[in-house]
Amino acid sequence: MAVSQSSIKLTKLVERFELEVLNPGKNYDRCLIREDDINRPALQILGFFDYFNPNRIQVLGKVEWTYLNNQPEEERRQCFDAFFRKPIPALILTRSLEPFPELMEMAIKYRRTILRSKEATSLFIPNIQATLQAALSPRITRHGVLLDVYGEGVLIMGESGVGKSETAVELIKRGHRLVADDAVEIRHLGPMLVGSAPELIRHYIELRGIGIVDVRQLFGMSAIKEDKEVDLVVNLEPWNENTFYDRLGTNEEFTTILDMKVPVITIPVKPGRNLAVIVEVAAMNNRNKRMGFNAAKEFSAQLDAHFEQMLQESQLDAADDYDEYDDLTYTEED
């Protein structure tokens, strides 16, 4: 499944951060932001535009404002004339700074968006960058159910009708939380994968024979979660007598999602198996592994030590038998 190209509307950022619109630029209502980084135009104020990315949101802080305030009016006009020729999406003034008349003059001339924030620059930039990274990060949609089980993000996958949603309902009844059913949007945020539900189907789950169920209404707010890191993939498949299933768990398998490796286990589905309990144990076992304890490896090491001890004992017994036979032979010769 292809990775989708993400974007966020500039108006959503204005609403999210309660920005004051000093001048709405060209296509302000339809402007899409596709860059998740911010630029403070320090060198650009001096006229250096090499390696300048005009698609980024520009932030003018106290340092840049103070420098410009000490410059002659004509130099400020030339500076903003060169700056606003670039097709920037918006310029944001922090700390409620007052825009220079030359800034507004050139912004109106080139139809550039000017915004203003009350926050300090050092607080505003990390906040808006975090929002942009969350909104613009690479993402992919997978068919499955994502739940928070004992603090582990468990993505249950499998063919249609295998029992993913039914297992999810049982887990919800046992106190775990639903993140997404049917369609799981997975984003690559820094060193982790974060899954969530599309807004249209958020908090809903489908059960064949019953239909659509609102988990939030039936089980309460404690039964849902907006997003969750994907820690484990559980693949459900119908039991096949001709397939060998791992009984020790020493062979760790992984799947790749957005270039990141995630542990995956396969659970065969058969009448009489309590899938919810098995998924709970799988989640706890995966957490143990991440904390450095692997039960399968411990058990394997104990088996190896046991067999090695048995081998040593058998070798010692064989040596004792040989010594007794040698002594007996020596006595008969005498």
Side-chain angles (χ1 to χ4, degrees), residues 123-149:
L123 296 176
F124 177 76
I125 289 181
N127 289 338
I128 195 170
Q129 278 187 323
T131 300
L132 289 173
Q133 287 171 1
L136 306 180
S137 57
R139 65 185 63 199
I140 193 172
T141 301
R142 289 290 178 90
H143 177 66
V145 184
L146 180 61
L147 299 109
D148 180 351
V149 181

Side-chain angles (χ1 to χ4, degrees), residues 140 146 153 155 179-180 183-189 192-198 225-231:
I140 193 172
L146 180 61
L155 176 61
V179 179
V184 183
E185 289 185 348
I186 303 175
R187 294 167 290 158
H188 188 177
L189 291 177
M192 57 186 180
L193 296 173
V194 178
S196 60
K225 189 174 177 64
E226 293 297 317
D227 52 45
K228 180 63 184 173
E229 182 179 350
V230 180
D231 300 303

Side-chain angles (χ1 to χ4, degrees), residues 167-237:
T167 303
V169 169
E170 179 62 27
L171 287 166
I172 293 168
K173 287 184 64 179
R174 297 172 72 91
H176 306 293
R177 294 185 286 181
L178 173 73
V179 179
D181 176 62
D182 194 39
V184 183
E185 289 185 348
I186 303 175
R187 294 167 290 158
H188 188 177
L189 291 177
M192 57 186 180
L193 296 173
V194 178
S196 60
E199 188 173 353
L200 186 63
I201 61 173
R202 192 168 295 161
H203 313 321
Y204 292 102
I205 196 167
E206 177 200 353
L207 295 172
R208 282 175 172 80
I210 296 178
I212 302 298
V213 173
D214 190 332
V215 173
R216 180 173 57 179
Q217 292 295 330
L218 283 182
F219 299 97
M221 292 296 294
S222 62
I224 60 171
K225 189 174 177 64
E226 293 297 317
D227 52 45
K228 180 63 184 173
E229 182 179 350
V230 180
D231 300 303
L232 175 67
V233 174
V234 174
N235 185 39
L236 302 182
E237 67 174 35

